[in-house]
Amino acid sequence: MSGFSDGHIVVRTRVRPDAAAVKVFAEAGVATTHEAMGRRGLVDPVLRPIYSGARIAGRAVTVLSHPGDNLMIHAAVEQCGEGDILAVATTSLSHDGMFGDLFATALKARGVAGLIIDAGVRDVADLTEMGFPVWSRAISSQGTVKASPGSVNVPVVLGGALIAPGDVIVADDDGVLVVARADAPAVAGKATERLANEAEKREQFRDGALSLDLYGLRATLDRLGVRYVDAPDED
């Protein structure tokens, strides 16, 4: 981030993505939003939800931590607010259980929507009972220390995706997606169009239509040399 000197920092920022766009993404989910933004922005699918059925979208509050050290998650809680999503990256590969139910309790009290972490979590049964959505690389009881400085609200690479503070994170059973804050309104518009198109197609399929016809795929099959042959009738 320009304007900040090198070193370990906690950036206090009120920058937020367009609220109407975030609402659209929460409805559309990862797959539809991913298509709407040109099939970009997916986080490594190794990050999976700890329980199924959750769907969230919100402002990213980013954390850069050392593996096996959750000091900066403690520092990040104060920077989180209503509807935010905490996004935790580590400086190298980590599977340690850096987050548990006590963190989740503190974040829920601040209205935080969920956690994306490229490391491990624990207390999964408690997190599930609380209904606190988490997407993580691993589930591990391995404990951590609080000794190594990092940063909060700086750009991070999480699961191969670049996330800047204030970007939008969308997450559900299909994975995790990042939408750049500046792109959010335009992507939301395209996602809305896709939702309407999908609803129309869904009704046509319920009425018995074939995707071969709706998508004009018979011509594609023909162009690729796929032939229809009739099997002989049985005697």
Side-chain angles (χ1 to χ4, degrees):
M1 297 176 65
S2 61
F4 297 105
S5 60
D6 294 336
H8 308 294
I9 57 175
V10 175
V11 179
R12 294 187 290 263
T13 175
R14 296 181 180 179
V15 172
R16 304 193 67 84
D18 181 78
V22 173
K23 186 176 180 180
V24 170
F25 300 146
E27 177 187 359
V30 170
T32 297
T33 305
H34 173 56
E35 295 288 345
M37 65 183 292
R39 299 179 182 175
R40 298 177 291 112
L42 284 177
V43 172
D44 189 329
V46 72
L47 272 69
R48 298 300 303 154
I50 61 170
Y51 63 85
S52 63
R55 174 179 287 187
I56 60 174
R59 179 185 77 144
V61 174
T62 61
V63 180
L64 183 61
S65 291
H66 283 265
D69 192 310
N70 67 3
L71 173 65
M72 299 314 295
I73 299 179
H74 287 274
V77 173
E78 184 181 23
Q79 305 307 316
C80 294
E82 187 72 31
D84 289 345
I85 297 175
L86 190 62
V88 180
T90 54
T91 55
S92 60
L93 183 64
S94 176
H95 296 89
D96 298 326
M98 296 175 63
F99 184 97
D101 70 303
L102 294 181
F103 268 140
T105 300
L107 291 175
K108 282 197 75 171
R110 303 181 75 86
V112 173
L115 168 76
I116 314 296
I117 182 169
D118 198 356
V121 298
R122 58 186 186 178
D123 303 328
V124 170
D126 295 320
L127 294 172
T128 303
E129 184 178 356
M130 292 169 62
F132 187 79
V134 173
W135 285 255
S136 68
R137 174 175 289 274
I139 294 172
S140 173
S141 294
Q142 177 62 51
T144 58
V145 299
K146 302 165 182 61
S148 305
S151 293
V152 176
N153 274 332
V154 298
V156 300
V157 175
L158 193 160
L162 176 64
I163 307 177
D167 286 348
V168 184
I169 292 177
V170 189
D172 59 24
D173 286 343
D174 291 334
V176 180
L177 177 74
V178 181
V179 183
R181 181 174 63 89
D183 296 339
V187 174
K190 293 179 181 179
T192 299
E193 293 174 1
R194 291 193 67 89
L195 285 172
N197 182 266
E198 289 171 2
E200 180 182 354
K201 290 290 193 300
R202 196 172 292 112
E203 286 303 313
Q204 291 174 303
F205 288 139
R206 288 188 182 124
D207 291 336
L210 294 173
S211 57
L212 283 174
D213 298 317
L214 287 182
Y215 300 142
L217 296 177
R218 294 190 188 278
T220 302
L221 291 175
D222 183 65
R223 177 172 55 82
L224 294 174
V226 178
R227 299 181 299 113
Y228 285 84
V229 297
D230 295 322
D233 294 335
E234 294 184 359
D235 293 336

